[in-house]
């Protein structure tokens, strides 16, 4: 072995010794680092352990700990002198304080279950009060027209005590502005001029106007058409009108009106071209509790109307309402399409449709009169439903339409609710108008 070491060069031995020294230095450095880490961790651990042990072990002295900061304050030492009476006092109120809030919310939650019963009572009360409020809603719907007419008529007699030519001219302008129409206005002015000797104030003029308007609205014809319609079952009503007048909405309100009379209603969705027309009719059929017959979009409207009447017969429906397309009334194609629907319905049920109801928008003014003339010439309209009467100050359009077409006004819409479509009553309308 010694011979072997002697043969090794001195440089290699020195190198080995250097490596050994480096290893020793590294070991010493690592030890020092580990010791320093232990020293650094050692104070943090006891500091965490000591307070926790001090807090957990002396639970009873924790009361003293709470009392010590109280002693530092000036008012607290007086309370420390009497620890025994003070300790039971906080304990006694603490128990009821915990129980009372737990009980109170429970008592508040229980009455929350009661509102549905109150809502049901409110609904029943509203249903009972609705018939009595029909005239009130009609009067509210005609409030704009009434305010317009009454205010201006009262102003006519501010500086006058009798009717002269100047007053008649102002009254003529007033009636035309209210959309009563030129021909109807001239007729009313002529009637008033013959009775001018007996009119000395605004109230007398209003009473004369009411009497003349009442005679123009012809309620007898409305009663005849409704009595004849009630004899046929199912009673088929074809609803026509241009887009945007509230035709589909009127159909839904009519369905609710008839179901309220314990009649079975079926709706035929024959407006197959307008976007989302079937979806809109479906919603109103559900609201009006009516059956619905519809085809795919773009189907033949006459076929839908035919199937609707057929379904009404097979299901024993009392009323069949046919919704139709409503493109511009100036287009000949629309009128021809409506005539085709009318012929197809007549093939399935002789004499049907028993009514052709034209829906008009009161806010369109004299344009509604031109629409009514076009539809009446093509289809021989049997009745009119005038919608949106609550949104205009020109309620005189009712008088203009009835007088110019000689067609009875059957329904008027004075609101957006499902029961705001009212059967037209001349006396109530004239009373609400003035």
């Amino acid at each position: 072995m010694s011979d072997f070491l002697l043969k090794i060069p001195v440089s290699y031995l020195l190198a080995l010794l250097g490596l050994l020294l480096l290893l020793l230095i590294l070991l010493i450095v690592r030890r020092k680092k580990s010791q320093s880490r232990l020293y650094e961790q050692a104070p943090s651990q006891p500091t965490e352990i000591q307070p926790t042990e001090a807090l957990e072990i002396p639970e009873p002295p924790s009361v003293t700990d709470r009392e010590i900061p109280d002693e530092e304050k000036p008012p607290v030492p007086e309370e420390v002198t009497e620890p025994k009476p003070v300790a039971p006092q906080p304990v006694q109120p603490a128990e009821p304080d915990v129980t009372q809030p737990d009980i109170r919310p429970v008592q508040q939650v229980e009455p929350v279950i009661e509102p549905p019963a109150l809502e049901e009572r409110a609904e029943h009360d509203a249903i009972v009060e609705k018939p009595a409020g029909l005239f009130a809603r009609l009067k509210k719907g005609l409030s704009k027209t009434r305010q317009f007419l009454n205010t201006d008529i009262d102003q006519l007699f501010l500086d006058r005590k009798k009717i002269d030519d100047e007053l008649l001219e102002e009254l003529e302008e007033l009636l035309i502005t209210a959309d009563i129409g030129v021909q109807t206005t001239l007729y009313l002015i002529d009637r008033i001029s013959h009775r001018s000797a007996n009119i000395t104030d605004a109230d007398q003029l209003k009473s004369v106007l009411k009497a003349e308007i009442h005679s123009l609205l012809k309620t007898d014809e409305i009663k005849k058409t409704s009595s004849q319609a009630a004899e046929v079952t199912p009673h088929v009503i074809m609803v026509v009108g241009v887009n945007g007048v509230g035709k589909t909405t009127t159909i839904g309100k009519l369905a609710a009106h008839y179901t309220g009379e314990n009649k079975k209603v079926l709706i035929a969705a024959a407006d197959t071209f307008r976007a989302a027309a079937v979806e809109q009719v479906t919603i109103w059929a559900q609201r009006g509790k009516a059956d619905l017959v519809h085809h795919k979009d773009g189907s033949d409207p006459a076929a839908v109307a035919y199937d609707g009447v057929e379904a009404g017969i097979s299901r024993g429906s009392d009323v069949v309402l046919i919704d139709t397309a409503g493109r511009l009334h100036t287009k000949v194609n629309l009128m021809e399409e409506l005539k085709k629907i009318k012929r197809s319905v007549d093939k399935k049920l002789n004499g049907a449709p028993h009514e052709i109801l034209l829906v008009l928008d009161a806010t369109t003014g004299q344009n509604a009169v031109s629409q009514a003339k076009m539809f009446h010439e093509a289809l021989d309209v049997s009745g009119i439903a005038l919608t949106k009467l609550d949104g205009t100050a020109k309620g005189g359009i009712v008088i203009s339409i009835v007088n110019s077409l000689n067609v009875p006004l059957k329904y008027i819409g004075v609101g957006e609710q499902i029961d705001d479509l009212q059967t037209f009553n001349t006396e109530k309308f004239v009373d609400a108008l003035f």
Side-chain angles (χ1 to χ4, degrees), residues 30-43:
R30 284 185 179 179
R31 234 178 234 186
K32 287 183 178 181
K33 286 183 178 180
S34 62
Q35 288 177 357
S36 63
R37 288 177 183 174
L38 290 173
Y39 285 121
E40 289 174 359
Q41 292 177 358

Side-chain angles (χ1 to χ4, degrees), residues 128-149:
V128 173
E129 293 176 359
K130 279 177 184 176
L134 289 177
F135 179 73
R137 289 205 299 276
L138 174 62
K139 195 172 182 180
K140 182 180 179 181
L142 293 171
S143 60
K144 293 182 179 180
T145 305
R146 182 175 62 257
Q147 184 178 3
F148 175 74
L149 287 175

Side-chain angles (χ1 to χ4, degrees), residues 63 67 76-93:
V63 178
E67 293 175 354
V76 173
E78 296 178 357
E79 296 178 358
V80 174
T81 55
E82 297 176 356
K84 293 180 181 179
V86 171
Q89 286 178 355
V91 173
Q92 289 178 354

Side-chain angles (χ1 to χ4, degrees), residues 6-315:
L6 292 172
K7 291 179 181 180
I8 297 172
V10 178
S11 60
Y12 286 112
L13 292 173
L14 292 173
L16 289 171
L17 290 172
L19 289 172
L20 291 172
L21 288 172
L22 287 172
L23 290 172
L24 288 172
I25 292 168
L26 289 172
L27 289 172
I28 293 167
V29 169
R30 284 185 179 179
R31 234 178 234 186
K32 287 183 178 181
K33 286 183 178 180
S34 62
Q35 288 177 357
S36 63
R37 288 177 183 174
L38 290 173
Y39 285 121
E40 289 174 359
Q41 292 177 358
S44 61
Q45 291 176 355
T47 51
E48 293 178 358
I49 294 168
Q50 287 174 359
T52 52
E53 291 176 355
L55 290 172
E56 291 177 358
I57 294 168
E59 290 179 357
S62 62
V63 178
T64 59
D65 293 336
R66 294 176 183 174
E67 293 175 354
I68 290 167
D70 295 336
E71 291 176 355
E72 295 175 359
K73 300 178 182 180
V76 173
E78 296 178 357
E79 296 178 358
V80 174
T81 55
E82 297 176 356
K84 293 180 181 179
V86 171
Q89 286 178 355
V91 173
Q92 289 178 354
E95 293 178 354
D97 290 336
V98 175
T99 55
Q100 287 178 357
D102 293 336
I103 295 171
R104 287 177 184 174
V106 174
Q107 292 177 353
Q108 292 176 354
V109 171
E110 290 177 355
V112 175
I113 303 172
E114 298 178 359
L118 296 175
E119 291 178 359
E120 292 176 359
R121 292 177 184 174
E123 291 177 0
H124 290 301
D125 294 338
I127 292 171
V128 173
E129 293 176 359
K130 279 177 184 176
L134 289 177
F135 179 73
R137 289 205 299 276
L138 174 62
K139 195 172 182 180
K140 182 180 179 181
L142 293 171
S143 60
K144 293 182 179 180
T145 305
R146 182 175 62 257
Q147 184 178 3
F148 175 74
L149 287 175
N150 289 340
T151 302
D152 289 353
I153 290 176
D154 290 338
Q155 290 178 354
L156 292 177
F157 283 91
L158 287 178
D159 299 328
R160 300 184 182 92
K161 293 185 179 180
K162 64 178 182 178
I163 293 180
D164 52 15
D165 293 339
E166 186 180 355
L167 187 145
L168 289 175
E169 289 180 2
E170 294 179 4
L171 180 61
E172 179 182 341
E173 182 181 355
L174 172 62
L175 296 177
I176 292 174
T177 307
D179 260 342
I180 292 179
V182 177
Q183 297 299 325
T184 308
T185 298
L186 292 176
Y187 171 80
L188 291 173
I189 293 296
D190 182 66
R191 297 291 297 172
I192 292 171
S193 63
H194 284 86
R195 303 172 61 177
S196 60
N198 299 324
I199 301 174
T200 59
D201 56 19
D203 292 335
Q204 292 179 356
L205 177 58
K206 291 176 188 177
S207 63
V208 172
L209 273 174
K210 288 172 66 175
E212 295 298 334
I213 291 172
H214 187 278
S215 64
L216 288 174
L217 294 177
K218 303 174 184 177
T219 55
D220 293 335
E221 294 184 5
I222 299 176
K223 294 179 180 178
K224 289 179 183 178
T225 55
S226 61
S227 62
Q228 292 172 358
E231 297 175 358
V232 184
T233 303
H235 178 57
V236 181
I237 303 175
M238 181 177 170
V239 184
V240 298
V242 300
N243 287 340
V245 298
K247 186 169 67 272
T248 305
T249 304
T250 301
I251 289 174
K253 293 179 179 180
L254 281 174
H257 172 74
Y258 284 116
T259 53
E261 296 178 350
N262 296 323
K263 293 181 180 180
K264 190 174 182 180
V265 182
L266 183 141
I267 299 175
D271 186 1
T272 59
F273 298 109
R274 182 170 61 87
V278 176
E279 288 79 359
Q280 186 182 7
V281 175
T282 302
I283 294 172
W284 278 105
Q286 293 173 353
R287 292 180 181 177
K289 300 178 181 179
D291 296 333
L292 180 67
V293 173
H294 65 88
H295 289 187
K296 295 180 180 178
D297 292 341
S299 301
D300 184 9
V304 179
Y306 184 92
D307 292 344
V309 175
E310 185 178 21
I313 295 172
S314 62
R315 298 179 190 181

